[in-house]
Amino acid sequence: MKKWIPGILAGAGLTVLSWYLLGKDVWVFWTWWLLALVVGMAAMPVTGSLFRSFDDKGWMFSKVLAIAVAGYAEWILVSVKVLRFTTASCAGVTVALAGLSLLFYMRQTDRNVDCMPQGHGVLVMWEEIIFFAAFLVWTYLAGFNPAAYGTEKFMDYGFMEAMMRSQVLPARDMWYSEGVINYYYGGQYFAVFLTKLSASRVSLTYNLMRTFVAGLACAMPFSMVYQMLRDRFDSLKGIRRAGPAVGGLLAGLAVSIAGNMHYVVYAVILPLVRKLRGEEEVFYWFPDATRYIGYNPDRPDKTIHEFPCYSFVLGDLHAHVVNIMFVLLLMGLLFAWFSTKRKYYKELTGRVMKRHLRSPWLITAAFILGLFQLNNYWDFVIYFVVIMG
């Protein structure tokens, strides 16, 4: 019981802090965190079977898998005109899939397959605290500049409002007269799916979706790297406890808030050199960190390379931003697959290859890869190669 006390106190403190920082907006924040918790728990039988090699059985990944499966099922049923895109249909599809997950859990229990994080409740609690804290910090920061103004925010917000008003998919494009949205809009769709599922409104959830992804971008890498180091340090008792936790925290912070060395070089080191030489200082603009390939020095072949933190700060809810959580889900799934089936890689015979081709890991990876064509097509190309590797 003593192991639970620090986590319980930390959770209570964060709850009070969220109420203090967010004021009246805290209710929709709590609603989204609780919604993610509930749908994640509902999907745990399936996630736990896929992430059976993880101590937490993929607790954080379960939230995203639930959103992916329920959201895609809703999208298919609405697109073929079986359902209308409403709060009731979103809730009905989610509950129906939760029921199927429960039946799967009963079947797994009969077969003595452990798909729940039994004995690792403290780890799950701390992962939830990390997610809540990161989600809260980014939500608080978003409140300083919540306007959907500039860059691609008009399109992102417009797509969300168009789908929020529509009961059919694809929705009418707000600019393309009498036409439907013909751009990959999966990221905004999943944001609207959660908005309707939580009975909220886009004016609140536009920013909440990007901070939700930012929170997951901290908690999901923690879970994955924690398990990697846990497996590596399993025989080293001295660092077995602290090493994985520290490594997981560093990984979560790196993905969620780290960028590249551009700021350090061009905003700190070079200005200091110019100052020592008595030269005029050059103004630094933070988007420059995404514009140095082909720009410093100037070349015809230029590349824009946005890293997660830049997108979270900028405030866009573009396809590649929302798809970060699905990419992390795929990466965790591939590691879980490799960890579980590692013994089969010693001899890749034809029989073993057939077993891999019908494995639930590969089928799930194929499903997630297919979503990338709806969410962010570049990720489809990239992670097709990763999966084949």
Side-chain angles (χ1 to χ4, degrees), residues 163-177:
M163 284 184 279
M164 193 68 187
R165 292 192 298 266
S166 178
Q167 293 189 0
V168 297
L169 290 173
R172 292 285 181 184
D173 194 312
M174 63 283 185
W175 287 314
Y176 184 37
S177 178

Side-chain angles (χ1 to χ4, degrees), residues 22 83 370:
L22 303 182
L83 295 176

Side-chain angles (χ1 to χ4, degrees), residues 36 96 172 213 263 275 295:
R172 292 285 181 184
V213 173
Y263 175 82
K275 187 176 181 179
Y295 295 83

